[in-house]
Amino acid sequence: MKMILNEDDLVVGAVFENGTIQDYVDEEKTYGLIRVEDTTANWFLYNDLDSAKEIKELYKKVIKEEHFIKNDFGEEIVLFNKKGNVSFERLVARIDSYLDDEIMSSIF
């Protein structure tokens, strides 16, 4: 996975063998975009205690529509607006891998 950095050398996305991931694709910086093969979906991290007001509002809206949530000890990876055939589980696994790599790159 090759990390994409912004002008301040902060990770803002990644390119991998069969797709890409971006942290933010909207003006409010509330959700990102993942593409794996022929499938795209929007995604964001949610924590009931720490998420900003805009994220909490988005969460309330998204859970009323088709979505997928993986709960990692209170931190949720939320996927929505999926188009394509790749499963939610495969998408969230790729996001997990990206987040793990992002954390490791910020340590070193």
Side-chain angles (χ1 to χ4, degrees):
M1 187 173 301
K2 180 181 175 193
M3 296 298 176
I4 299 170
L5 306 176
N6 69 8
E7 61 276 355
D8 298 319
D9 289 333
L10 298 173
V11 175
V12 294
V15 176
F16 45 89
E17 182 179 333
N18 56 352
T20 59
I21 189 168
Q22 294 172 267
D23 286 348
Y24 301 112
V25 295
D26 65 322
E27 289 184 22
E28 293 80 30
K29 295 189 176 191
T30 54
Y31 61 87
L33 177 72
I34 184 167
R35 181 185 57 80
V36 176
E37 298 168 5
D38 70 340
T39 301
T40 61
N42 294 115
W43 70 280
F44 62 95
L45 296 177
Y46 178 79
N47 180 303
D48 196 44
L49 298 174
D50 297 327
S51 291
K53 177 183 168 192
E54 295 81 12
I55 300 280
K56 288 181 178 185
E57 289 173 4
L58 177 61
Y59 184 84
K60 287 178 187 176
K61 178 183 173 196
V62 165
I63 61 172
K64 294 177 185 174
E65 303 168 357
E66 182 184 5
H67 66 282
F68 181 86
I69 297 174
K70 179 185 178 202
N71 191 332
D72 279 338
F73 308 103
E75 178 96 322
E76 297 178 4
I77 299 173
V78 181
L79 290 122
F80 65 106
N81 288 342
K82 183 174 94 69
K83 295 178 178 89
N85 297 318
V86 174
S87 70
F88 277 117
E89 291 81 6
R90 235 178 104 200
L91 294 172
V92 82
R94 183 56 78 173
I95 293 169
D96 263 339
S97 176
Y98 165 68
L99 294 173
D100 289 345
D101 285 357
E102 184 179 21
I103 289 169
M104 292 308 293
S105 71
S106 68
I107 292 173
F108 300 105

